[in-house]
Amino acid sequence: MGKRIHTRIETIDPHRPDPKVIEKAGEILKNGGLVAFPTETVYGLGADALNEKAAEKIYAAKGRPSDNPLIIHITNMDALERIVTGIPEEARKVADAFWPGPLTMIFDKAGIVPYGTTGGLDTVAVRMPDHPAARAVIDAGGGYIAAPSANTSGRPSPTRAEHVAEDLSGRIEMILDAGPVEIGVESTILDMTVTPPMILRPGAVTREMLEDLIGEVAVDSTLGNADSKEAPKAPGMKYRHYAPKASLVVVEGPPEKVAGWISSQAVRMRQEGKKVGIIATEETRASYPDVDVKVAGTRADESTVAGSLYGILREFDADGVDAIYSEAFDPEGIGTAVMNRLLKAAGHQVVRIPEEA
Ligand code: TXA
Ligand code: MG
């Protein structure tokens, strides 16, 4: 760990960030420093993507393995032309439809992108976020900002500035606090260097949405498959990520039966003197015993669960629970991304309660 530095925390209006603060953030970035900023998915830890030394600082601040490549954030298509060597027609269609937004695309990289940013790869991940503060910071910082999620490597991604401060205070120059993010899970990653294009990480832009636009889209078969011997294609997806300190078990099945099973498990563990946490939904909240129950949202709209999941995992860390049980969610729409993150956090510990049990 390097020497501690002073981290300046600036509160900004998410829609109309103070130009003076943005200018200061831009200066820090242009001088090779680190600024954490909000995007609509999660908070990112920004550095000048074309400055290898600056990008390297990200790895040190996060404790991130150096073979795990960074996403370059831009605000316009001209910037894309400069950092990649060719833009497939389908990528232009996807960009037209979903940029700016919660989507990252992988391209062959151009020479000006340092290997320090791509983890040694000849491809580069690019995202054009929609958050006004993110866009202002990217422009102020020179237009090409490398930004992984602004958490310590292995912890859940930050959905509020407080999470960033928890992990990175003393290690970065500035945190821009624009309140809680909108989506809560990281961007969809779509690899445009293969045919058909392949989803390497599910997010708010779903496979169905992409297929409606460009036809067949593949999904990295190692995702959601605990038994896979193959490494996932996005290098970062192989690390035990998003992980709470307690053991986490995901319980699948009819919601009432799931709640019943988790409840008896929780009562038993409490009798053994263990502290138990439960991730519930508005629909099932009332069926649980008096333990640490957190409501992730409603089954009627799983984007509510996406929005609260990482914050809840951090709260359970702070509560010091020994075991967490979570209900499973429908892997439809953004539920696909929620289940992907939840199963990774659980190290793929899943219990299935049959219909007739
Ligand atoms: O929503 C998001 O994407 C957030 C915000 C801040 O933009 N960023 C984010 O970055 O989640 P990070 O670094 O936490 O995750 C990036 C993922 C990693 O799994 C990494 O391995 C993968 O993208 N990735 C980056 N470049 C790649 C490449 N050239 N080929 C394959 N995977 C790549
Ligand atoms: Mg991350």
Side-chain angles (χ1 to χ4, degrees), residues 42 62 64 68 148-151 155 157 186 201 241-242:
V42 298
K62 284 184 53 108
R64 178 177 173 114
N68 190 0
S149 49
N151 52 284
R155 293 211 76 202
S157 293
E186 305 87 341
R201 179 175 74 184
H241 229 189
Y242 322 117

Side-chain angles (χ1 to χ4, degrees), residues 50-293:
L50 305 185
N51 173 349
E52 190 147 38
K53 286 270 169 310
E56 276 167 9
K57 284 191 195 162
I58 287 180
Y59 291 94
K62 284 184 53 108
R64 178 177 173 114
S66 61
D67 67 344
N68 190 0
L70 305 173
I71 296 173
I72 300 187
H73 294 65
I74 57 171
T75 62
N76 58 76
M77 289 303 278
D78 288 344
L80 180 66
E81 306 270 2
R82 286 199 61 211
I83 54 175
V84 307
T85 59
I87 305 174
E89 207 34 55
E90 286 167 341
R92 289 190 192 277
K93 279 196 197 163
V94 172
D96 271 350
F98 299 112
W99 275 0
L103 175 86
T104 296
M105 284 190 275
I106 312 259
F107 299 92
D108 290 319
K109 82 173 193 71
I112 61 163
V113 178
Y115 283 111
T117 297
T118 66
L121 298 176
D122 287 310
T123 54
V124 61
V126 187
R127 176 173 171 217
M128 192 189 292
D130 191 33
H131 196 296
R135 298 178 62 80
V137 172
I138 295 164
D139 286 337
Y144 305 90
I145 301 300
S149 49
N151 52 284
T152 300
S153 200
R155 293 211 76 202
S157 293
T159 53
R160 339 174 61 104
E162 291 81 358
H163 301 156
V164 180
E166 227 171 79
D167 285 10
L168 299 176
S169 256
R171 297 166 170 243
I172 66 179
E173 278 80 3
M174 186 184 261
I175 299 172
L176 296 177
D177 179 355
V181 300
E182 214 180 288
I183 296 176
V185 293
E186 305 87 341
S187 61
T188 304
I189 301 180
L190 182 64
D191 186 352
M192 300 307 302
T193 69
V194 295
T195 311
M198 185 185 280
I199 292 176
L200 307 188
R201 179 175 74 184
V205 175
T206 64
R207 181 187 199 171
E208 297 69 36
M209 289 157 77
L210 291 164
E211 287 193 326
D212 282 348
L213 191 70
I214 56 169
E216 192 188 353
V217 168
V219 176
D220 183 353
S221 62
T222 67
L223 300 180
N225 176 2
D227 307 323
S228 176
K229 299 276 182 292
E230 244 178 276
K233 297 197 166 50
M237 297 294 278
K238 72 174 177 279
Y239 298 106
R240 185 163 181 250
H241 229 189
Y242 322 117
K245 291 172 191 149
S247 85
L248 166 62
V249 176
V250 179
V251 187
E252 293 182 347
E256 343 63 77
K257 292 219 167 79
V258 165
W261 188 89
I262 292 178
S263 295
S264 53
Q265 213 50 27
V267 168
R268 196 176 55 76
M269 294 208 52
R270 195 177 46 187
Q271 282 162 355
E272 290 170 8
K274 299 240 169 65
K275 251 184 116 172
V276 185
I278 294 173
I279 301 180
T281 47
E282 277 164 24
E283 288 78 3
T284 53
R285 171 68 188 91
S287 23
Y288 289 108
D290 182 23
V291 297
D292 192 352
V293 180

Side-chain angles (χ1 to χ4, degrees), residues 8 10 12 18-37 46-48 133 136-142 145 173-176:
R8 178 166 161 181
E10 295 280 359
I12 53 170
D18 180 349
K20 283 206 197 67
V21 173
I22 295 299
E23 191 185 320
K24 180 67 198 159
E27 250 169 57
I28 293 170
L29 291 166
K30 284 181 172 161
N31 288 324
L34 303 182
V35 176
F37 60 92
D48 180 354
V137 172
I138 295 164
D139 286 337
I145 301 300
E173 278 80 3
M174 186 184 261
I175 299 172
L176 296 177

